[in-house]
Amino acid sequence: MSKERARRRAEREAERARAIRANEERQARSARRRALLARLTPRPVRYVRQRGLLARRQRAQNAVVALAFVLVQVLVWLVWGSLPVSLAVLVFSLLLVPVVVTLAFDRRT
């Protein structure tokens, strides 16, 4: 009788060990899958504007330049109304904007 109990106890312990091993393998597989998914999932990007006086001033200057650019384009279109003239002024304005920005808003002086 005691040999039979010892055999059944050994079977139960072996079954329990198999179940524990299977559970550990499942958890390891799940952890690997989560790690892979975490590497493949892009992190959300937060767009935070810079704060402060210089950043605010630069945003205001950029807005003034953009507004002046658009106003020049609209004015040329209203005055001449010709497509070749409008395209020529557009190209000239695109080339002239960096020069105007450098001369008007240079911070080195």
Side-chain angles (χ1 to χ4, degrees), residues 11-30:
E11 287 175 359
R12 281 194 310 268
E13 289 174 357
E15 181 62 33
R16 189 175 305 127
R18 275 193 297 270
I20 290 173
R21 203 173 318 116
N23 189 22
E24 288 173 350
E25 289 173 3
R26 212 173 310 121
Q27 287 178 351
R29 217 175 18 251
S30 176

Side-chain angles (χ1 to χ4, degrees), residues 42-56:
R43 294 180 185 170
V45 177
R46 291 180 50 207
Y47 294 103
V48 179
R49 292 192 325 185
Q50 285 187 339
R51 290 177 268 206
L53 181 63
L54 292 178
R56 199 172 356 178

